[in-house]
Amino acid sequence: MKNKLHGFLTLLLAFVVQFTFAQEKTISGTVIDEDGLPLPGVNIIVKGTMNGAQTDFDGNYSISAQSTDVLVFSYVGFATQEIPVGDKTRIDATLGVDAAALEEVVVMGYVSKRKDDMTGSTVQISSDELQTPMATVDQALQGKVSGLQISSSSGTPGAVQDIRIRGISSINAGNDPLYVIDGVPIINSNVGGSAATSSLSALASINSNDIESITVLKDASTTAAYGARGANGVIVITTKSGQSGKTSVNVSSYYGFSNNAIEGPDMLTGAERETLYYEGIMNTFGTGSMEAAREFEAANLGDYGGYQAWNEAGRPEGDWDEVIKNVDAPVQEHNISATGGGEKHNFYASLGYFDQEATVINSDFQRISGSINLDQEISDNLKFSSSNTGSHSYQDGLLEGSAYFSSPHTARYFQSPIQPPYNEDGSYNQNTSLPNPLFIGENDIDESKFTRILSNNSLSWQTPIENLSATSRFSVDYQVYNYKTYNNRQRGDGDDTNGYGYQVSRNTVTYVFQNSLDYLMNFGEHNFNFKVLQEFQKYRRNFTAAEGDQFVADGLSNLSSAGNPIGAYGEFTDWAVASYLGTAAYNYDNRYVLNATYRREGNSRFASENRWGDFWSVGAAWNLHREAFLSNNDMINTLKLRGSYGKTGNANIGINQYQVLFNYDADYAGTGASYPATYGNEALTWETSYTFDAGIEFGLFQNRITGLVAYYRRESQDLLLDVPLSYTTGFDSQFRNIGSMENKGFEAELDLAIVRSNDFNLNIGGNVGTVENEVLEVAQDANGNEIAVTNGSYQRSAAGTLVNEWYLPTWAGVDPETGVDTYYVDGEGSETTTSYTEASRVYQGSSALPSLTAGLNFHIDFKGFFLDASGYYAGGHQIYESWHRYINQPNLFATAFYNGYDSLMDRWQQPGDQTRVTKSVFGGQPWTYNSKYLHDGDYFRLRNVTVGFDFSPNMVDAIGLSSARIFVRGTNLYTWVKDDNLLHDPEVDATGYTSITTPPVKSVVLGVNLKL
């Protein structure tokens, strides 16, 4: 009986297995669009499973399925279609265009909206436009956004960029925009460990290949949602997410070379420098001739300039400019990513490596990064999303925060050309008057190691109430930074102390909690969208640093080997922001749009009674192209009027400024002691900005011509000014809410699709933005006199001036009879004097802020070949030439101690000479800041040129690829500068002073993109 039962069960199992396999069959077919053209790359999934396939170049597919299954066909830009299998073995599908999917959606962080529903000013940049061979993705924005200005503090890879959106909103508080990644505000600042060395941008930790888009928010309608951090604009970064379907793999790689975008001024040769030196003796001591000057030096000064020994050595020229260059500095990046998933889940994963050497020796930046992003439908009404990015960056930086003689880039300015860098045997010349940067580069250390983890996780619930969803989000930004500098014992900045070391360890964590409700409501043609959100953000920073000197042996650079510990420092910093947000959007028949935003925010930077502020905006738009009177218009496809007004804020000052604080780091007779540190101000609160924005957007002739024109005005009130105090208080200044200023201007964008076809396309576009800045009010003293705000000694802000307007004596030219500088006593048009101290400082009518910026773009493609180009212009501003006392005046600094510009050879030599350069003198002149060294900052830069070829799918299908691209990309290939006297790179930081840091770079790379 038992054997019979086993036999029966075996037969039954075999029948079930056979029946099951009999139900599974191969389904094949073709997928086309509504015009009958095949669609390659369409995802076909058996609903509820991970079983999937993808159409080939001809739209054909094959998949195994059972009769009871349902096939799901999906393709970007087309409506998803579901078809039951049944008894069919061939299933053809025709996919129609998804109208909603084709409408551009603008991602603004907390919310996303269709472009037709926007009432504010935004620009969204796609992933393809962000690809440049730069360490930080923000550099890709230059020239692509009207009203956005980017300037570089240094060309060192990974360095911080200064970004301003629609001018400057504050005098003493911060002017940097807020950064938001996947709906969460983040901290983006200089994470470098020392002001003396290269800066390091937190954005350098992010791989641009993991970014889907960047949206720049410019007006109150779009930034009020960010409350007291929205006054300077908001930059929203959206990372890539997965797409369901067959797993696809993308590989991208490029390799190329970089050099300085502008070489800077030519420097004096040894022979030229010698001529100026002896000419200075002749002019100062009246020797009458150059030969007499040589004899006078030998008899009275010895070999003061070193030229006697130089002549005896055969007049060797030290070409410092060439030896410190890293010619054709390599730059490379390699990325691989994968995306895919099933009906209820998707993923995106990536791994990337970036490496860029600086254009000077012994400096580079490296980054390895990875990301894993997941979306999972836990049930029909519950969804989990997780976005995770990790990176580790290494920067071998430079001493470039000032005129450090050990910096390789400054060698061309400060090293004497009569002292060669190498000895005759090829060893480094250590007998130079300044440290030899070749030796310093090999024996000093300046390195930053930065590890960053960003994790953003959310749980969304579609409640039983129709169209009501709830989302909870938790985000962490964890940063670990280690900095180490070591100056060697033998030569340079550490030789006086037998070596010097300094190390920093810093950990920061920023976490954000968000809880929100979203509700959609429709009544016929009336559409409502509501959102309420609660947010809490906490920042915590632990900082430890130590320094020491007296190192016992070469090669030992850690502080444990320092014989003399100088000091150790440690601190903890934290702050918090809490807020409640409500947004409401209404549109009637997609024609009339109303938006409103309200945010109540509290910030720990202010006292409890002034901690909370209210920020809001209202906006309206009229989509005229959806009106009946334009519905059949062949010329006008898009026409929208929009306007907004609102209040945002700025709290970007140091923490605890409202408190009376004491420091406890004093030493009093060997015991610890405290002393007053801050004066405090309990009444301190937000800066507020009121912004009006109005514009018209249009699209003509089947959107072959698209563009916009807009006007804005932003008035900043209750400025956070650092007001001077009477010295009787024991303090020099105190932050107060006082003063106001405005920024206003116009913006325009225009794009022309001149030719648009399957095989040939030609597009030209551009944007332009203006900003007119004026300070309206500053603080007053007890007598009612205005207290102008100074930025250094030569920039000043007062009522009626530009913010940080140049405030200098006005140069009147070189006296053609005497060869000395002359100055206007009280500004241009007044009497002149040769005494610098008799010349009054006056406002120059200009500042470092460009009043006009513009971007240009060009695209052409033909049968797979393509060319893209873009450029950037900035003008209407002036920048000041730093370090002219040492390297751009014919005195002993240029002719004996350091070196000078080659243009000094155009000096005054005899009565009647017309020149900008004074006569050479034997002496060290004092600083004489004046308008002679204030130059027009106008420039144009050809930012990107890309030439390449896109292989069609049928070309690469045989080798297992679905697409392929090969390209050559050039960056900063050409720079035009308006002012011939401006010899340095015109792209300076926001302070407006030229620098002797590593300049921006131009590069050429060869790359390939493959999709499997």
Side-chain angles (χ1 to χ4, degrees):
M1 182 67 184
K2 190 174 182 180
N3 291 334
K4 289 182 178 180
L5 179 61
H6 285 173
F8 175 75
L9 292 175
T10 301
L11 288 173
L12 180 62
L13 178 61
F15 175 77
V16 170
V17 171
Q18 183 179 5
F19 179 80
T20 301
F21 278 97
Q23 298 303 305
E24 189 167 287
K25 53 189 175 180
T26 299
I27 309 297
S28 61
T30 304
V31 183
I32 59 176
D33 63 13
E34 292 175 320
D35 295 326
L37 298 175
L39 290 176
V42 176
N43 291 314
I44 303 98
I45 298 176
V46 177
K47 188 173 182 178
T49 73
M50 297 180 63
N51 181 22
Q54 199 172 65
T55 57
D56 61 18
F57 176 72
D58 297 315
N60 299 318
Y61 76 94
S62 177
I63 190 172
S64 297
Q66 299 180 15
S67 299
T68 55
D69 288 334
V70 175
L71 299 186
V72 180
F73 297 80
S74 62
Y75 192 60
V76 175
F78 290 79
T80 299
Q81 190 174 149
E82 297 186 5
I83 301 178
V85 173
D87 59 358
K88 298 185 287 290
T89 58
R90 180 175 180 85
I91 298 177
D92 296 326
T94 301
L95 300 187
V97 173
D98 184 353
L102 292 180
E103 291 192 69
E104 182 178 352
V105 175
V106 180
V107 181
M108 298 186 294
Y110 293 133
V111 296
S112 298
K113 293 183 179 181
R114 297 182 312 139
K115 195 169 184 179
D116 273 1
D117 292 336
M118 296 290 299
T119 61
S121 180
T122 66
V123 176
Q124 186 160 284
I125 314 283
S126 66
S127 176
D128 291 341
E129 299 177 86
L130 299 174
Q131 305 310 312
T132 59
M134 303 288 185
T136 56
V137 68
D138 51 357
Q139 296 183 67
L141 300 178
Q142 191 177 61
K144 292 183 170 60
V145 181
S146 60
L148 184 144
Q149 301 151 8
I150 298 181
S151 54
S152 175
S153 62
S154 168
T156 300
V160 170
Q161 310 298 307
D162 289 326
I163 294 182
R164 301 291 180 262
I165 299 174
R166 289 181 167 179
I168 295 175
S169 69
S170 181
I171 297 178
N172 289 147
N175 283 286
D176 294 324
L178 173 69
Y179 287 81
V180 176
I181 297 182
D182 292 334
V184 175
I186 65 163
I187 310 302
N188 182 67
S189 57
N190 178 18
V191 297
S194 171
T197 59
S198 301
S199 62
L200 178 60
S201 171
L203 270 185
S205 64
I206 298 176
N207 185 347
S208 62
N209 285 274
D210 292 332
I211 296 176
E212 183 67 31
S213 67
I214 292 181
T215 308
V216 179
L217 314 181
K218 298 190 283 187
D219 75 318
S221 178
T222 55
T223 63
Y226 297 96
R229 293 176 287 181
N232 300 322
V234 181
I235 295 178
V236 178
I237 298 174
T238 303
T239 61
K240 292 180 178 178
S241 57
Q243 295 184 1
S244 297
K246 180 182 177 182
T247 298
S248 63
V249 177
N250 289 273
V251 177
S252 63
S253 178
Y254 66 75
Y255 186 92
F257 306 96
S258 299
N259 292 286
N260 293 336
I262 283 185
E263 290 299 338
D266 292 330
M267 305 305 292
L268 295 169
T269 65
E272 291 171 333
R273 188 169 174 263
E274 179 191 36
T275 297
L276 291 180
Y277 172 79
Y278 285 113
E279 202 170 282
I281 293 177
M282 183 178 67
N283 292 331
T284 303
F285 298 104
T287 59
S289 68
M290 295 287 285
E291 187 58 35
R294 293 177 185 274
E295 295 173 357
F296 179 88
E297 181 200 34
N300 298 280
L301 304 173
D303 191 8
Y304 189 88
Y307 294 101
Q308 298 173 37
W310 180 61
N311 279 279
E312 292 173 0
R315 300 172 64 87
E317 290 279 355
D319 195 352
W320 291 97
D321 185 27
E322 292 301 319
V323 298
I324 55 89
K325 282 183 181 178
N326 184 15
V327 179
D328 295 334
V331 55
Q332 59 181 310
E333 185 172 17
H334 313 285
N335 295 281
I336 183 170
S337 64
T339 182
E343 180 188 359
K344 293 183 179 294
H345 76 280
N346 61 63
F347 74 92
Y348 171 84
S350 71
L351 182 66
Y353 174 74
F354 178 86
D355 185 5
Q356 182 179 12
E357 292 185 16
T359 55
V360 293
I361 57 175
N362 302 116
S363 177
D364 73 334
F365 175 86
Q366 300 174 36
R367 179 188 65 226
I368 184 169
S369 61
S371 67
I372 299 178
N373 301 338
L374 306 169
D375 292 303
Q376 174 68 53
E377 292 186 17
I378 300 173
S379 65
D380 290 340
N381 58 4
L382 197 62
K383 180 181 178 180
F384 172 74
S385 296
S386 182
S387 174
N388 306 275
T389 298
S391 66
H392 178 74
S393 305
Y394 171 84
Q395 183 192 57
D396 188 356
L398 301 167
L399 268 173
E400 59 178 356
S402 185
Y404 290 99
F405 297 137
S406 296
S407 170
H409 188 70
T410 61
R412 69 191 306 266
Y413 304 111
F414 294 123
Q415 289 285 357
S416 169
I418 66 173
Q419 295 174 342
Y422 296 98
N423 296 315
E424 292 183 359
D425 61 1
S427 61
Y428 295 138
N429 180 10
Q430 296 287 56
N431 294 319
T432 52
S433 55
L434 300 174
N436 189 327
L438 301 173
F439 176 83
I440 297 298
E442 291 187 1
N443 292 275
D444 281 11
I445 297 173
D446 187 279
E447 61 181 22
S448 293
K449 297 178 180 179
F450 182 52
T451 301
R452 188 179 195 184
I453 298 173
L454 284 162
S455 181
N456 188 332
N457 307 275
S458 66
L459 189 65
S460 298
W461 176 43
Q462 182 60 53
T463 70
I465 301 175
E466 186 178 3
N467 294 328
L468 176 65
S469 61
T471 301
S472 289
R473 184 182 304 274
F474 173 66
S475 173
V476 175
D477 181 1
Y478 182 63
Q479 303 177 10
V480 179
Y481 176 78
N482 290 282
Y483 171 75
K484 177 181 179 180
T485 185
Y486 169 75
N487 300 326
N488 75 86
R489 305 163 60 241
Q490 299 182 33
R491 191 78 166 94
D493 298 311
D495 56 3
D496 289 341
T497 57
N498 209 29
Y500 169 80
Y502 175 71
Q503 292 182 227
V504 170
S505 176
R506 183 181 65 230
N507 294 339
T508 64
V509 60
T510 307
Y511 51 85
V512 177
F513 295 93
Q514 290 179 359
N515 297 288
S516 62
L517 292 172
D518 291 88
Y519 183 61
L520 302 176
M521 186 169 59
N522 303 301
F523 299 106
E525 303 297 337
H526 301 276
N527 305 290
F528 297 87
N529 191 331
F530 301 97
K531 185 184 191 76
V532 292
L533 179 142
Q534 172 269 328
E535 181 178 77
F536 177 78
Q537 183 175 17
K538 182 72 173 182
Y539 172 87
R540 301 168 65 90
R541 171 180 177 269
N542 284 285
F543 173 88
T544 303
E547 59 181 333
D549 55 24
Q550 298 300 325
F551 285 79
V552 67
D554 295 332
L556 301 178
S557 60
N558 291 320
L559 289 179
S560 59
S561 300
N564 177 40
I566 298 174
Y569 321 95
E571 64 180 32
F572 170 76
T573 305
D574 70 336
W575 52 259
V577 173
S579 58
Y580 302 92
L581 170 69
T583 67
Y586 165 76
N587 81 65
Y588 173 71
D589 194 25
N590 292 322
R591 289 183 288 165
Y592 312 116
V593 180
L594 295 174
N595 288 330
T597 301
Y598 171 76
R599 179 174 177 127
R600 182 159 176 80
E601 181 171 314
N603 194 311
S604 64
R605 282 179 169 83
F606 306 116
S608 56
E609 59 270 23
N610 295 306
R611 184 160 292 172
W612 289 87
D614 299 300
F615 308 93
W616 51 268
S617 72
V618 291
W622 181 15
N623 291 306
L624 283 86
H625 60 283
R626 297 191 182 277
E627 295 287 355
F629 59 81
L630 287 179
S631 60
N632 296 317
N633 192 295
D634 294 331
M635 184 182 76
I636 300 175
N637 310 114
T638 302
L639 186 62
K640 181 169 82 170
L641 300 177
R642 58 169 173 81
S644 66
Y645 184 75
K647 173 187 175 183
T648 54
N650 188 350
N652 196 357
I653 59 173
I655 65 172
N656 304 324
Q657 294 292 325
Y658 73 92
Q659 293 177 301
V660 177
L661 296 177
F662 286 80
N663 282 345
Y664 294 87
D665 57 352
D667 185 336
Y668 182 74
T671 62
S674 65
Y675 56 94
T678 60
Y679 193 74
N681 181 2
E682 290 272 340
L684 203 63
T685 187
W686 326 86
E687 286 185 351
T688 54
S689 290
Y690 294 87
T691 303
F692 170 76
D693 183 274
I696 180 171
E697 301 175 8
F698 57 87
L700 309 174
F701 306 110
Q702 301 301 314
N703 287 325
R704 288 179 179 270
I705 303 175
T706 60
L708 64 86
V709 178
Y711 169 80
Y712 69 91
R713 181 183 181 274
R714 178 179 63 198
E715 182 173 336
S716 302
Q717 302 178 0
D718 299 323
L719 296 180
L720 288 163
L721 293 182
D722 199 15
V723 180
L725 292 175
S726 168
Y727 289 121
T728 60
T729 63
F731 298 88
D732 56 1
S733 64
Q734 176 195 42
F735 266 102
R736 296 179 187 171
N737 288 104
I738 191 168
S740 62
M741 71 172 173
E742 72 169 4
N743 293 273
K744 59 185 178 182
F746 291 90
E747 294 175 350
E749 298 176 9
L750 184 65
D751 290 288
L752 307 176
I754 299 174
V755 180
R756 190 165 59 192
S757 66
N758 290 332
D759 293 330
F760 178 57
N761 295 278
L762 175 62
N763 299 277
I764 298 176
N767 64 77
V768 63
T770 68
V771 58
E772 183 180 340
N773 172 271
E774 182 181 1
V775 178
L776 303 177
E777 179 190 3
V778 293
Q780 296 180 346
D781 62 20
N783 297 319
N785 298 316
E786 187 177 77
I787 305 174
V789 182
T790 60
N791 182 20
S793 300
Y794 304 98
Q795 290 176 313
R796 201 171 189 182
S797 304
T801 74
L802 304 174
V803 63
N804 294 331
E805 185 169 333
W806 293 110
Y807 188 66
L808 302 158
T810 304
W811 182 63
V814 173
D815 188 328
E817 297 303 316
T818 62
V820 299
D821 282 321
T822 63
Y823 311 93
Y824 291 105
V825 173
D826 194 24
E828 189 168 355
S830 63
E831 63 177 309
T832 62
T833 178
T834 58
S835 173
Y836 176 77
T837 58
E838 293 179 1
S840 300
R841 299 181 191 179
V842 295
Y843 291 104
Q844 296 295 320
S846 64
S847 72
L849 177 68
S851 60
L852 175 66
T853 57
L856 297 171
N857 59 78
F858 173 84
H859 169 83
I860 186 172
D861 66 72
F862 177 71
K863 292 185 179 295
F865 293 96
F866 65 89
L867 167 66
D868 288 293
S870 64
Y872 174 73
Y873 169 83
H877 62 300
Q878 291 189 301
I879 58 182
Y880 195 84
E881 181 187 330
S882 298
W883 311 110
H884 58 80
R885 178 195 184 194
Y886 301 113
I887 53 181
N888 196 16
Q889 294 178 212
N891 54 40
L892 285 180
F893 289 118
T895 62
F897 305 146
Y898 309 128
N899 200 2
Y901 298 168
D902 181 74
S903 58
L904 294 180
M905 296 302 292
D906 296 327
R907 76 283 185 197
W908 182 96
Q909 292 180 278
Q910 60 186 6
D913 283 351
Q914 301 286 336
T915 178
R916 287 178 53 91
V917 185
T918 61
K919 64 182 179 182
S920 183
V921 297
F922 187 88
Q925 296 168 312
W927 275 112
T928 54
Y929 282 87
N930 65 89
S931 63
K932 177 180 182 177
Y933 303 102
L934 189 64
H935 306 302
D936 290 336
D938 303 49
Y939 74 96
F940 172 80
R941 179 156 274 164
L942 184 59
R943 285 290 293 170
N944 283 290
V945 177
T946 305
V947 180
F949 181 75
D950 287 321
F951 294 87
S952 61
N954 60 337
M955 292 181 180
V956 295
D957 183 63
I959 57 174
L961 299 177
S962 59
S963 66
R965 164 179 285 191
I966 186 171
F967 63 88
V968 176
R969 176 175 292 130
T971 304
N972 294 341
L973 295 181
Y974 169 75
T975 303
W976 169 83
V977 180
K978 174 185 177 182
D979 194 332
D980 293 336
N981 297 308
L982 178 56
L983 303 179
H984 293 271
D985 195 289
E987 191 174 330
V988 301
D989 66 21
T991 64
Y993 289 89
T994 63
S995 67
I996 49 179
T997 60
T998 306
V1001 301
K1002 61 181 176 184
S1003 59
V1004 177
V1005 301
L1006 171 65
V1008 61
N1009 297 334
L1010 306 175
K1011 183 176 181 180
L1012 288 72

